[in-house]
Amino acid sequence: MAVATTTQTGARPWWAGRRPPTPAWVGTVPFLAYVGVFLLWPTGIVVVDSLKNPNGAWAFSNISELGNPLVRGYFIGSFKLCVLSSVAGAVLGAILAYAVASGDPDGVGRRLYIAVSGVLAQFGGVTLAFAFLVTIGPVGLLFHASWYFDFPWGIGLIYTYFQIPLMVLVFLPAIDGLKVQWREASENLGASAWQYWRYVGGPLLMPAFLGALLLLFANALSAFATIQAWENQIAYIVPQQISTALSSEVGLSNVNVADLLALGMVILVAIVMTGYALLQRRAARWLR
Amino acid sequence: MAAVTALNESAAAASAGRTRGMQAGRRRRLNVFRYVVFTVFGLFFLLPLLAMLRFSLEGAKLGTWSLTAWRQIASYQNTGIPPLLSAIEITLELAVITCAVMLVLLVPTMIWVRLRVPWLARTIEVLCLLPLTIPSIVLVVGLGEIYNRIQHYSLSALMLFWVYVILALPYAYRALAAGLGAIDVTTLSEAARSLGASWFTVIVRVIAPNMRQSILNAVLLTWSLVLGEFTIAYLLLYTNLQVELYSISRNTPNAGVLFSTSFAALLFAFALLMILSYVGRRRRGRG
């Protein structure tokens, strides 16, 4: 940082020398304070409150309530929905990503697909439930699916609508990273298309694919708006139950239910995202 | 975040002419595969949108066409919930405030950290990406208490911007980091400093203009995030656009205005991203 010191003298402020200079990190205080108040503090509240009973006394035994069959039911519901929608989304999204990647890299088609994916990946929310309601729901224009309100199939299908575009966005760089030379080399050595994918392309893409799968899983796990607009009478998944617990304090006695469920979600997402980060690092090795 | 990477890097990263190295027969089969895939997925993505569009144009009688629902966007009101237009206004105002606060908070901090306190860079990155791993439903549980305190002073839904900035952090951070990484920050700041510029001038008038594209990127992503936010507003009992639509759908399940408003919002988001994608390309071509 020798450079910084020399440049500093050039514009020495008028008060220089009258008091010791403020250390540079002070400039980041507004940001750190903001994040502290609106991100770290609320998260801290969740963690602390989940370990207390409603009277404010410490109760570490609360953690064991995560194994309570009622609570477990919501986590199992979340898990089913996330697995269904992320596996379907990842497989279908990977196929679509490959179709997009094998086209003209500067073409209009590709540009359009990426822009559309960008919008549709964000197109969760209330609106998506409306759109499917009038497509295959009870008032559907296309057909009336009898399983539309079945959990997890109906809502799983709706979720793939934003999972596939997200997969395309996340997975496209990985497919772009496959070098033409690798395919040429394997073809020169007499490999069939199947052999190329089985022994070259597949293994190379696998870490990226699994990483993307985990990202999709986390994405589905925290989604709330769509399922709430789809069916708001019955709570199937954890976020719905958190919502119910926040608006009415019924349920498990002696436990801050919402906080406990929220803590469970944080733990789950943390595990999934750690896996994602590790796999991304592994995938990055080839995709330079 | 994904959108940013894709938009910035896709065209450049793709190796030109992926299919060139392939044998003719295989290339033909690949093309058949591509067209089938595009058709099937195109239908899957288009049909719900078309159904929504059709419902937004439904007349009073089933099967007729009319523009009533689109006209209603400006005037729709139902008992027990605020008028639709006020919810739209609030959401747009929230989007503007959130973008402004996000920029003021994040841009100077990121440049400052880059120039003067690089040892904090990793911490800042982790903090910025943290909201990705903390679902907004979790954030809301903890925020409930903080907002209860704030509510003593003001009850406006505009107060939501405090959290929305947090939600936008990961997306904005990645967009800005890409822009910051692409320019030679140290040289620019040394040049400006040796000409007598203050740190304020360096950040606001020298470096920030050089990352215009990524600032635009960050703004648009933040913008679309705010327009689509439901969870936090709903659980803190504020009414934004999505909550309003939800309430309308509870009262009158198939109100045409639901579909016209949703469709309009979607078109809006799409137009923004298209603009972004084209602006990005032009800049790259020149540089």
Side-chain angles (χ1 to χ4, degrees), chain A residues 3 8 24 34 38 41 49 92 99 101-103 105 111 123 127 135 161 178 187 222 225 228-229 232 259 269, chain B residues 14 18 26 34 41 45 48 112-113 116 133 135 141 145-146 162 165 190 230 234 246 250 262 266 270 277 281:
Chain A
V3 182
Q8 238 173 336
Y34 193 101
F38 290 100
W41 189 19
D49 278 2
L92 295 172
S102 54
R111 189 157 286 276
F123 180 52
T127 329
T135 312
Y161 195 88
L178 284 183
E187 282 185 7
S222 42
Q228 185 69 10
N232 74 336
D259 295 287
V269 179
Chain B
R18 173 169 311 284
R26 209 174 276 179
R34 293 187 62 220
F41 280 94
F45 287 120
W112 186 253
V113 166
R116 300 294 311 279
T133 56
V141 176
E145 282 190 23
I146 298 179
W162 294 104
V165 171
E190 277 171 9
F230 171 78
Y234 175 72
Y246 176 77
R250 286 296 135 219
S262 308
L266 195 67
F270 186 66
S277 138
R281 183 158 72 162

Side-chain angles (χ1 to χ4, degrees), chain A residues 1 3-4 7-8 10-12 24-28 30-32 34-35 37-43 45-46 49 92-93 95-96 98-106 108 110-116 118-120 122-123 125-127 130-135 139-142 157 160-162 164-166 169-170 172-173 175-180 183-184 187 191-193 215 222 224-225 228-233 239-240 242-243 246 258-259 262-263 265-266 269-270 273 276, chain B residues 1-3 6-7 10-11 13-23 26 30 33-34 37-38 41-42 44-52 54-55 101 105-106 109 112-113 115-120 123-124 127-128 130-143 145-147 149-150 161-163 165-166 169 171 174 190 193-194 196-199 221 224-225 228 230-231 234-235 242 245-246 249-250 253-254 258-259 262-263 266 269-270 273-274 277-278 281 284:
Chain A
M1 280 275 88
V3 182
T7 48
Q8 238 173 336
R12 181 178 288 240
W25 59 263
V26 170
T28 60
F31 173 82
L32 294 177
Y34 193 101
V35 173
V37 171
F38 290 100
L39 182 64
L40 303 182
W41 189 19
T43 315
I45 288 179
V46 168
D49 278 2
L92 295 172
I95 294 173
L96 182 57
Y98 179 70
V100 173
S102 54
D104 176 7
D106 277 320
V108 181
R110 183 188 169 105
R111 189 157 286 276
L112 189 76
Y113 249 89
I114 290 172
V116 171
V119 174
L120 295 185
Q122 296 280 340
F123 180 52
V126 183
T127 329
F130 299 158
F132 269 89
L133 185 73
V134 294
T135 312
V139 287
L141 287 178
L142 204 58
L157 176 74
T160 55
Y161 195 88
F162 60 77
I164 294 176
L166 180 62
L169 290 177
V170 180
L172 202 52
I175 295 188
D176 281 339
L178 284 183
K179 293 200 175 63
V180 186
R183 176 183 277 276
E184 287 170 353
E187 282 185 7
S192 67
L215 189 71
S222 42
F224 167 67
Q228 185 69 10
W230 172 72
E231 163 66 78
N232 74 336
Q233 300 301 321
Q240 282 183 305
I242 293 180
S243 160
L246 278 182
D259 295 287
L263 180 72
M265 275 190 81
V266 171
V269 179
M273 291 306 278
Y276 169 68
Chain B
M1 94 236 87
L7 286 171
S10 57
S15 48
R18 173 169 311 284
T19 49
R20 213 183 299 141
M22 246 180 258
Q23 298 151 1
R26 209 174 276 179
L30 179 67
F33 160 79
R34 293 187 62 220
V37 167
F38 284 145
F41 280 94
F44 176 68
F45 287 120
L46 266 183
L47 283 174
L49 299 181
L50 288 179
M52 207 158 66
R54 176 69 190 89
F55 258 73
V101 175
L105 197 66
L106 205 51
T109 306
W112 186 253
V113 166
L115 288 173
R116 300 294 311 279
V117 261
W119 52 271
L120 260 179
T123 315
I124 300 282
L127 284 177
C128 282
L130 204 54
L132 283 183
T133 56
I134 301 178
S136 43
I137 188 99
V138 171
L139 211 50
V140 110
V141 176
L143 278 170
E145 282 190 23
I146 298 179
Y147 264 75
R149 287 179 208 179
I150 296 178
F161 85 85
W162 294 104
V163 211
V165 171
I166 294 288
L169 276 186
Y171 304 93
R174 291 203 185 191
E190 277 171 9
R193 293 286 289 168
S194 63
S198 67
W199 280 113
L221 286 169
S224 65
L225 183 132
F230 171 78
T231 311
Y234 175 72
L235 288 172
Q242 301 289 324
L245 289 175
Y246 176 77
S249 81
R250 286 296 135 219
N254 297 318
L258 285 179
F259 306 107
S262 308
F263 201 80
L266 195 67
F270 186 66
L273 266 180
M274 262 333 225
S277 138
Y278 274 96
R281 183 158 72 162
R284 202 164 33 234

